Amino acid sequence: MRENTNGEDEDFIVTVVPRSRRVGSWLVVAALVLLLVMAFTPAPYVIEAPGPVFNTLGQNHAVGSTPTSADEKKPLIVIKGHKTYATKGSLDLLTVSEIGNPQRKPNWFEVITAWFSSSRAVIPMGVAFPAGQNVREQNAENAQLMTNSQQDAIAAALNQLGYDFTQHVVVEQLTDGPAKGVLKVGDEILTVNGAQVKGVQSLRDLLKENGAGTPAAIGIRRDGEKTMVHVTPTTTAGAVVIGIGAGMEYDFPFTVKIQLSDVGGPSAGQMFALGIMDKLTPGSLNGGARVAGTGTIDSEGNVGAIGGIRQKMYGARQAGATVFLAPKANCNEVTGHIPSGLHVYAVKSLDDSIKVLDAVRTGSSTADLPTCPAS
C-alpha cells in the first residue's frame, strides 16, 4: 500500500497472467502468421478441378453459360452434305480445369484446401508439366491431340453406322526398334500375317497375337505399290511392338466439323462420336435425358482411359447429368468416388455405350449393364 494525495491508503492490485495462457496466445499468433505466410507461398503442385461442360448436341459454349460471341452461338457439331435429324437432351463432354502452372503456382492454402475436397485433386507440378516442356508447347500438343481425336471420332461414328469410306493405317514415325530400315514414314500398313489391319488397335492386337521374337509378315503399300516385309517384334513395357508410331488417315464421304474452342486433349472422343451418331440417325439416342461421359476413341470404336475422371464426374453431376459413361479402364479411379445421384456405367466400346443409351431411352432395366465394382 501507499498513501494517496488525500492521505488515504490506496491498494494496488497486480494481475499475474498464467504462463500457459501466455504460451497459448503466442501459439495463436504464430498460427495466424503461418497461415498468412502459406496464403502467399507458392506450392510445387497443380490443382485439378471440374471444368466447363459442353453439350455435343448443342452450341459451342459451356452448359449454363451465355454465348458472348458469334462463334459460341454456332452448333458444336456441324454436318454438311448429309441429312441430319433433330436431337433432344444432351450428350455432355467434360473438361478439367488446372489451377496453377510453372509461372503461376498455387499457394499452400489453396493446395491444402483442395486436398480436403472430394471434387479436386492435387498433383505434383512435374507430373502436370514435365521437365523440358513449357506451357505453350503443352497447349500445342493438347490441341493436336484434340484434332486427332475429332477425326477418330468421326471415323468411329461412321464405322458404327456402316458408312463406307477410305481409311488407312500409316507409319507416322519410326524409333530405333526392329522396323527401322524396313518400314518408312508414310507406309500404309495393310495386313499382318494375312489378316487385315483395320485400325491402330487392330494392328496392336495382331502384333500381340504374333508375339515377340517371331518374324511377322507385314503387307504394306509404298508409293502406290503393294509389297511384303518381315519384322520381328520385341516387347516394351509389356506390349509387343515393332518400333513405329502408327496413325490414321481418312477420306470421309461428307463433311463433319466439330467446333470447340479452347479445349485440348483426346478425352472427348467418345462423346463426339455419340453426338455425331445422334445427329445422323432419326430419334434420340438418349431419349431426351441429360447424359454425360468421357473417354478416348479410335476408328474402331474402342473407348480408352482418360485423366481427371473424378473431377469429370463431379462436373457432370453439377451440370445436371444423372447418367455417366466412364471408360472401363478408369474403374479403379471411379470406385468409391461417385457423386450422389450419378449412375456410372463402365464401357469399353461404342457398342457398350449404345446399350446404355438404349436402356435410358426405353426405360428398360439397367441391371445387366456393366458398372465399376463397388468399393
Side-chain angles (χ1 to χ4, degrees), residues 45-199:
Y45 293 97
V46 169
I47 299 169
E48 291 184 337
V53 177
F54 297 87
N55 178 12
T56 60
L57 304 178
Q59 295 179 327
N60 177 28
H61 63 86
V63 172
S65 69
T66 301
T68 57
S69 67
D71 284 342
E72 289 187 350
K73 295 179 182 179
K74 295 178 180 178
L76 197 149
I77 296 175
V78 177
I79 299 174
K80 296 181 179 180
H82 194 284
K83 184 177 181 179
T84 58
Y85 299 86
T87 60
K88 294 189 300 181
S90 68
L91 292 170
D92 291 338
L93 67 87
L94 296 314
T95 68
V96 175
S97 293
E98 287 189 342
I99 302 171
N101 57 53
Q103 286 72 47
R104 192 280 180 193
K105 298 181 176 69
N107 60 56
W108 278 104
F109 185 78
E110 292 174 306
V111 169
I112 292 173
T113 302
W115 264 323
F116 290 96
S117 170
S118 56
S119 66
R120 297 192 169 203
V122 178
I123 59 176
M125 185 68 69
V127 173
F129 296 90
Q133 185 182 51
N134 58 39
V135 175
R136 181 180 298 177
E137 291 170 338
Q138 187 178 76
N139 289 341
E141 180 181 332
N142 284 333
Q144 185 59 54
L145 288 171
M146 170 60 80
T147 299
N148 294 343
S149 174
Q150 292 175 355
Q151 294 298 296
D152 290 339
I154 297 168
L158 299 189
N159 279 326
Q160 188 74 27
L161 295 175
Y163 288 91
D164 184 28
F165 61 99
T166 303
Q167 48 192 323
H168 305 299
V169 180
V170 297
V171 178
E172 292 186 339
Q173 59 182 0
L174 289 162
T175 67
D176 288 329
K180 190 173 184 179
V182 181
L183 293 174
K184 294 182 178 180
V185 171
D187 285 346
E188 179 187 348
I189 300 179
L190 306 173
T191 60
V192 174
N193 296 330
Q196 182 183 3
V197 175
K198 298 179 180 180

Side-chain angles (χ1 to χ4, degrees), residues 130-330:
Q133 185 182 51
N134 58 39
V135 175
R136 181 180 298 177
E137 291 170 338
Q138 187 178 76
N139 289 341
E141 180 181 332
N142 284 333
Q144 185 59 54
L145 288 171
M146 170 60 80
T147 299
N148 294 343
S149 174
Q150 292 175 355
Q151 294 298 296
D152 290 339
I154 297 168
L158 299 189
N159 279 326
Q160 188 74 27
L161 295 175
Y163 288 91
D164 184 28
F165 61 99
T166 303
Q167 48 192 323
H168 305 299
V169 180
V170 297
V171 178
E172 292 186 339
Q173 59 182 0
L174 289 162
T175 67
D176 288 329
K180 190 173 184 179
V182 181
L183 293 174
K184 294 182 178 180
V185 171
D187 285 346
E188 179 187 348
I189 300 179
L190 306 173
T191 60
V192 174
N193 296 330
Q196 182 183 3
V197 175
K198 298 179 180 180
V200 175
Q201 186 58 50
S202 173
L203 173 61
R204 294 191 186 109
D205 293 342
L206 290 170
L207 290 175
K208 182 178 179 180
E209 182 180 317
N210 180 88
T214 302
I218 300 178
I220 65 171
R221 181 182 283 114
R222 178 183 295 167
D223 299 327
E225 300 291 331
K226 291 184 178 180
T227 187
M228 183 75 68
V229 298
H230 292 83
V231 181
T232 302
T234 59
T235 302
T236 300
V240 178
V241 299
I242 56 176
I244 67 169
M248 298 296 300
E249 290 183 354
Y250 307 110
D251 186 8
F252 297 123
F254 48 87
T255 300
V256 180
K257 186 177 181 181
I258 298 174
Q259 305 177 124
L260 183 61
S261 305
D262 301 324
V263 177
S267 65
Q270 173 182 204
M271 301 314 291
F272 285 147
L274 291 172
I276 293 166
M277 290 176 62
D278 204 355
K279 285 176 172 282
L280 287 174
T281 53
S284 175
L285 284 182
N286 54 16
R290 176 149 232 126
V291 176
T294 188
T296 64
I297 199 76
D298 67 14
S299 62
E300 298 174 89
N302 298 300
V303 176
I306 52 84
I309 186 76
R310 297 182 191 177
Q311 288 70 52
K312 290 175 180 178
M313 288 191 295
Y314 276 91
R317 191 69 191 100
Q318 290 166 8
T322 57
V323 175
F324 190 90
L325 305 173
K328 186 174 182 180
N330 281 116

Side-chain angles (χ1 to χ4, degrees), residues 18-55:
R19 180 184 180 124
S20 60
R21 188 180 299 177
R22 294 201 305 270
V23 171
S25 298
W26 280 111
L27 288 176
V28 170
V29 172
L32 291 174
V33 171
L34 179 60
L35 286 174
L36 187 62
V37 171
M38 288 173 60
F40 294 98
T41 303
Y45 293 97
V46 169
I47 299 169
E48 291 184 337
V53 177
F54 297 87
N55 178 12

